[in-house]
Amino acid sequence: MHTALTRSRITTDHALITPESHVLLSPPGWSKSNVVYFISPQMGANFTMFLGVFEAGGEVKRNLGDNEILGYVLEGEGELQSKGKNSLQAGSFFFLPPGTNFSLTAKQQSRVLFFEKMYEPLAGVNLPAEIISHESKINKEAFLGDPGALLQTLMPMGAEFDMGVNIFEFVPGGTLPNVENHYMEHGLYVLQGQGVYRLSESWYPVQKDDAIWMAPYCLQWFVASGKQNTKYIYYKDMNRPPLV
Ligand code: UGY
Ligand code: MN
């Protein structure tokens, strides 16, 4: 592709970030690893979505402070040290509540997708607990009864959780059942396959390794195309309706 061209597009209510416009950074706390920030408050979002790209032996070491984080291993293998030690493979995910000290060390070249935001406490509700699991342990449910759109809900539904992360799998030709309009935001990463995303009044061909931000009230719809199922992982804010 000509170096002056990109499929990326940034608007006030949505963004598509495609691999040819990635910029690799080395923030404090990261060694033998790089970070690509897709989504941040600088673009108007209330959370961050970023990719950690690790060499073998690469590491991130952080104290989360007021933030919570969910990491999903796209590829590779690593070890997470938080409350205890856990080994991670492709498809593993971990949710760490605010105040957590953690380190993640890659055993081989690895890519990990992260969603991070400031936790919003709710009066009378305890802080959420750490979760470390694997996508293979989560049931696939037909979304609104449609077996062509299967949803895996990685996070529990309890009121202590103010963010949710789901994996959506569509058969070729599968769609979101309607053009969604909601106050919640999304950060989305395409894991497999391809399709067309409607974001507001624009329609984008999207494929594996594309990242998308949808602001509150960004009209959204998706159709999967291609010959294999399409999968994407996405974040949404949960359990904190407006004015609560
Ligand atoms: O959970 C959701 O709002 C989801 N159906 N949205 C989306 O996939 N764009
Ligand atoms: Mn939605």
Side-chain angles (χ1 to χ4, degrees), residues 143 166 168 176 180 182 186 197 214 220 232 234 236:
F143 185 60
N166 304 331
F168 231 142
L176 281 179
E180 293 183 8
H182 50 63
H186 289 316
Y197 233 104
M214 294 171 235
Q220 55 201 255
Y232 62 70
Y234 71 100
K236 71 202 251 187

Side-chain angles (χ1 to χ4, degrees), residues 81-104:
Q81 169 82 59
S82 49
K83 274 175 132 177
K85 265 197 174 109
N86 285 276
S87 53
L88 306 173
Q89 291 80 35
S92 294
F93 64 93
F94 55 90
F95 168 79
L96 304 174
T100 304
N101 270 308
F102 78 96
S103 65
L104 173 60

Side-chain angles (χ1 to χ4, degrees), residues 65-192:
D66 293 336
N67 290 358
E68 60 194 334
I69 202 166
L70 186 138
Y72 171 83
V73 182
L74 294 169
E75 60 184 50
E77 210 183 333
E79 185 169 85
L80 177 71
Q81 169 82 59
S82 49
K83 274 175 132 177
K85 265 197 174 109
N86 285 276
S87 53
L88 306 173
Q89 291 80 35
S92 294
F93 64 93
F94 55 90
F95 168 79
L96 304 174
T100 304
N101 270 308
F102 78 96
S103 65
L104 173 60
T105 311
K107 289 191 182 153
Q108 58 185 76
Q109 272 194 5
S110 302
R111 295 191 311 139
V112 182
L113 184 70
F114 294 92
F115 304 94
E116 180 171 353
K117 74 184 277 289
M118 190 180 287
Y119 180 68
E120 291 176 54
L122 202 56
V125 173
N126 289 335
L127 277 183
E130 174 176 297
I131 297 169
I132 300 165
S133 188
H134 191 276
E135 64 181 358
S136 60
K137 295 190 178 146
I138 311 288
N139 285 340
K140 295 183 178 182
E141 313 273 358
F143 185 60
L144 300 177
D146 178 0
L150 297 173
L151 193 67
Q152 288 174 286
T153 306
L154 303 189
M155 302 273 294
M157 290 292 173
E160 67 272 34
F161 293 100
D162 69 347
M163 63 184 265
V165 175
N166 304 331
I167 296 176
F168 231 142
E169 178 169 352
F170 297 87
V171 298
T175 71
L176 281 179
N178 62 334
V179 181
E180 293 183 8
N181 173 38
H182 50 63
Y183 72 83
M184 299 85 79
E185 307 185 77
H186 289 316
L188 182 158
Y189 191 88
V190 182
L191 299 172
Q192 169 186 307

Side-chain angles (χ1 to χ4, degrees), residues 203-220:
W203 302 69
Y204 300 98
V206 298
Q207 62 191 21
K208 182 176 182 299
D209 293 323
D210 285 352
I212 291 174
W213 170 57
M214 294 171 235
Y217 301 109
C218 173
L219 293 174
Q220 55 201 255

